Amino acid sequence: MTPERLGWLNTETMLKWAGILLVVLAAVFFVGTAISRGWIGPELQLTGATAGGLALIAGGFQLIERNRPWAAALAVGGAVVMSICAAAANAGLDLIGNDAALVALAIVTLGLAEVSRRLSVQSVAAAAGLAAVLLPLWILSDDNPPPALLATWLAVLVVLASAFAWFRGWAASRLATVVAAALVLAALI
């Protein structure tokens, strides 16, 4: 490669990224140690993860005008984190019941649909729809829910997601939600 193409790769840039990497590794080590020693309980873990998801979405809003691909990536990351937090409050951490977890997941999914609409980023809607299809299986995994409950959840979700994607003109979101719901229904049968 020519030196002009590697102009961004200099000692200052490499040291900056190495410093960022070291700070991230130190934070991961600290949080891992704090959790294993009981310094950070499940409530604080969930609060921190939720704050991180919201920060990713906020970063997407900040970058939407300057760098659309990074804005979309941050918003999708935030969408995934927020959806998992809604499910983990029940399935992973046992902080809330199944009904409350499903309501939390529905609220998060609706909020992410609004984020997707405001940012005009189809991938956020697709990630939220996919999470809303799959995460109820994790939330309800211990209770052996009646298939009719899951089928109703999926039917309502597919209708709402399809209508939302139809009005936005987003074929990929419509297709992803319908295919994921069909696969889940096939697995339940």
Side-chain angles (χ1 to χ4, degrees):
M1 297 197 122
T2 63
E4 296 83 28
R5 290 190 57 137
L6 293 176
W8 62 270
L9 186 61
N10 56 35
T11 306
E12 180 182 351
T13 303
M14 290 187 334
L15 287 174
K16 184 185 336 175
W17 283 105
I20 290 170
L21 178 63
L22 288 175
V23 169
V24 168
L25 289 174
V28 168
F29 176 75
F30 171 73
V31 170
T33 301
I35 290 171
S36 68
R37 293 191 180 181
W39 300 339
I40 297 177
E43 296 87 359
L44 194 54
Q45 292 173 30
L46 186 63
T47 301
T50 302
L54 289 172
L56 288 170
I57 291 170
F61 276 102
Q62 289 295 316
L63 288 178
I64 196 66
E65 296 298 324
R66 293 187 309 259
N67 194 334
R68 192 162 182 76
W70 274 99
L74 288 174
V76 168
V80 170
V81 169
M82 294 300 294
S83 298
I84 289 174
C85 285
N90 166 272
L93 301 173
D94 291 326
L95 297 175
I96 59 176
N98 289 352
D99 295 340
L102 288 174
V103 169
L105 182 59
I107 291 169
V108 165
T109 303
L110 289 172
L112 293 173
E114 179 61 16
V115 168
S116 177
R117 186 189 69 78
R118 286 182 183 243
L119 292 176
S120 192
V121 176
Q122 180 176 197
S123 53
V124 173
L130 187 60
V133 166
L134 298 176
L135 290 177
L137 298 175
W138 185 33
I139 292 170
L140 301 171
S141 63
D142 293 340
D143 291 345
N144 292 328
L149 174 67
L150 286 175
T152 303
W153 171 273
L154 291 174
V156 169
L157 177 68
V158 166
V159 167
L160 292 175
S162 295
F164 178 77
W166 181 269
F167 286 115
R168 299 294 297 174
W170 292 344
S173 292
R174 263 192 336 259
L175 182 64
T177 304
V178 171
V179 168
L183 291 174
V184 169
L185 285 174
L188 291 174
I189 296 176

